[in-house]
Amino acid sequence: MKINLTNGLCLVCILSIFNMACSFNNSNKNAMAAPKITTQNFGTFEGKPITEYTLTNGSGMQVSIINYGGILTKIITQAKDGSWGDVITGYDSLEGYVQKGNPYFGALIGRYANRLAKGKYTIDGVTYKAAINNHGQSLHGGLKGFDKVVWNASILPGDSSIQLDYLSIDGEEGYPGNLKVQVVYTLTANNALQIAYTASTDKTTVLNLTNHVYFNLTAGKSPNIYDHLVQINANKYTPVDTSLIPTGELLDVKGTPMDFTTPKKVGQEIDQVAGGYDHNWVLNKAEGLQEIAHVYEPTSGRYLTVATTEPGIQFYSGNFLDGSLTGTKKGIIYNKHYALTLETQHFPDSPNQTGFPSTILKPGETYHQTTVYTFSTK
Ligand code: GLA
């Protein structure tokens, strides 16, 4: 067969387009594997099986969750040198998580995140009393909050999300209404962990949900978070009394150790705050999901961005960690200031503070809260 020049060129063209398509497919495959979810038996609690779900995204980041307390047990991310490490506190097995005094590592918190003064609050003239569990106050939902119950877990289509469901019955821990709660954890292709909460009730109640994950972005290489640089978009915070109950004021952070409007090392002024940071910052934000805080750890290069729909954030510097927890991951000793939390929330004790945004949920309404922790390096 005689091939003229034009036809010959076309053949070359077709072959090279075919080659390009093949190599594009291959490089794509290497860069982005499909997300996957694996499961592992994690013991039993009150006769119910506990499972650990591990979500892996295309770049290899992993997030593990158990259906006891909806707890985040691992977040494995890459440092700037390419090494991988687990950036959250936790334990090797379920025994660790159920131990008395476990300070809510990785857990879902409800019905009311942080403190309700003396556990009391009033709805439509009726006074309710939430279970007291913290020096005369009600903390993080009471004696058996959402962190200590078994959630129903399911894997959602697409292998990037786990859905957790819990029905909190009328009167549980002193809260009215049967409350249906759903939490969806999603690990995205761009290394973001999204936590989406929804809830509905059949009686008017109060609700303030969050997650209590503790970060040390060195992945265990430093025993404290003093060199982590924190930035919070907040011009005000809610000061507290000696019982850590808000006084009701909104104070300016300017000129105080509470000023994180520009990145600042946690250790820089922590000595000037009794016990360390454990306060709610009033976020500079409108309604909707917005980026509101960052944490940078210079040795690993890890950079955490926090976005939320919530009006507040509890920045807690692990003040009550005292090295006494047992069964910790790799036997790590979690001493004071080992890790920090950025708990996105409505303000503590809002039901008793007329000046704070409302935490009331009525029948027919749907509660929504979304928080996204995104990991990168610099
Ligand atoms: C929250 C509170 C702290 C402490 C921890 C758990 O962050 O604000 O005071 O109770 O939870 O130890």
Side-chain angles (χ1 to χ4, degrees):
M1 184 181 142
K2 200 173 148 204
I3 299 176
N4 70 27
L5 193 60
T6 328
N7 285 346
L9 276 178
C10 274
L11 196 63
V12 170
C13 284
I14 289 164
L15 283 174
S16 58
I17 287 169
F18 180 73
N19 270 340
M20 271 166 59
C22 287
S23 64
F24 175 77
N25 266 341
N26 284 337
S27 63
N28 220 22
K29 220 184 279 163
N30 290 340
M32 271 293 157
K36 65 170 186 200
I37 299 179
T38 55
T39 59
Q40 198 190 319
N41 175 13
F42 211 71
T44 55
F45 181 76
E46 295 175 344
K48 294 176 192 149
I50 305 301
T51 302
E52 186 179 56
Y53 298 82
T54 297
L55 285 60
T56 306
N57 72 4
S59 45
M61 178 177 160
Q62 289 192 330
V63 171
S64 300
I65 298 140
I66 55 173
N67 57 320
Y68 171 76
I71 292 173
L72 285 164
T73 52
K74 286 180 210 111
I75 299 183
I76 298 177
T77 75
Q78 213 162 12
K80 67 180 171 199
D81 67 3
S83 63
W84 294 88
D86 187 355
V87 297
I88 66 172
T89 57
Y91 309 93
D92 283 332
S93 68
L94 188 59
E95 285 63 49
Y97 289 97
V98 300
Q99 75 186 274
K100 202 166 177 279
N102 165 26
Y104 307 92
F105 280 174
L108 292 177
I109 305 294
R111 292 191 193 188
Y112 202 92
N114 212 279
R115 290 174 179 81
L116 280 173
K118 300 190 172 59
K120 279 195 190 154
Y121 57 97
T122 304
I123 302 173
D124 298 334
V126 180
T127 299
Y128 294 90
K129 190 137 194 248
I132 301 296
N133 62 334
N134 187 261
H135 311 289
Q137 322 295 338
S138 187
L139 174 69
H140 293 329
L143 295 165
K144 193 173 181 187
F146 292 176
D147 59 299
K148 294 180 184 67
V149 300
V150 179
W151 294 67
N152 279 327
S154 45
I155 296 175
L156 296 185
D159 283 342
S160 299
S161 303
I162 296 289
Q163 179 178 316
L164 299 173
D165 288 278
Y166 179 66
L167 172 66
S168 170
I169 57 161
D170 188 9
E172 189 176 274
E173 297 295 304
Y175 293 97
N178 290 298
L179 182 84
K180 280 188 192 159
V181 193
Q182 188 181 87
V183 179
V184 177
Y185 284 108
T186 302
L187 175 60
T188 71
N190 66 336
N191 298 333
L193 168 64
Q194 176 179 293
I195 313 175
Y197 309 72
T198 47
S200 58
T201 181
D202 60 4
K203 276 188 194 158
T204 303
T205 190
V206 293
L207 190 63
N208 188 18
L209 300 178
T210 193
N211 181 289
H212 207 302
V213 61
Y214 289 66
F215 300 100
N216 178 321
L217 297 183
T218 69
K221 292 199 170 125
S222 169
N224 61 60
I225 36 81
Y226 299 140
D227 288 339
H228 285 50
L229 287 141
V230 168
Q231 188 258 321
I232 304 172
N233 297 353
N235 295 340
K236 291 183 187 293
Y237 74 105
T238 52
V240 287
D241 65 18
T242 49
S243 316
L244 300 178
I245 299 294
T247 60
E249 301 154 281
L250 307 184
L251 290 189
D252 285 340
V253 296
K254 211 177 165 80
T256 78
M258 315 305 276
D259 190 351
F260 284 93
T261 50
T262 54
K264 183 170 75 185
K265 281 190 178 175
V266 175
Q268 193 170 313
E269 291 166 316
I270 198 169
D271 288 351
Q272 297 170 42
V273 185
Y277 295 104
D278 189 3
H279 298 79
N280 170 69
W281 270 257
V282 178
L283 298 169
N284 302 337
K285 72 184 285 289
E287 297 254 313
L289 184 66
Q290 206 176 304
E291 240 178 71
I292 44 78
H294 302 96
V295 186
Y296 177 56
E297 196 289 299
T299 58
S300 65
R302 286 195 179 89
Y303 188 71
L304 168 65
T305 301
V306 186
T308 190
T309 53
E310 293 304 279
I313 197 165
Q314 187 83 11
F315 165 37
Y316 168 60
S317 51
N319 310 338
F320 300 119
L321 298 174
D322 60 3
S324 63
L325 297 165
T326 58
T328 58
K329 289 178 183 175
K330 296 183 182 158
I332 298 174
I333 298 168
Y334 295 130
N335 273 321
K336 188 171 179 179
H337 303 155
Y338 178 91
L340 62 86
T341 71
L342 290 163
E343 303 153 60
T344 53
Q345 61 182 10
H346 269 61
F347 308 169
D349 202 31
S350 297
N352 298 310
Q353 302 285 353
T354 45
F356 291 180
S358 170
T359 49
I360 293 281
L361 181 71
K362 296 184 177 153
E365 295 176 345
T366 305
Y367 168 96
H368 289 281
Q369 124 67 319
T370 301
T371 294
V372 186
Y373 294 109
T374 305
F375 296 86
S376 59
T377 55
K378 276 192 180 196

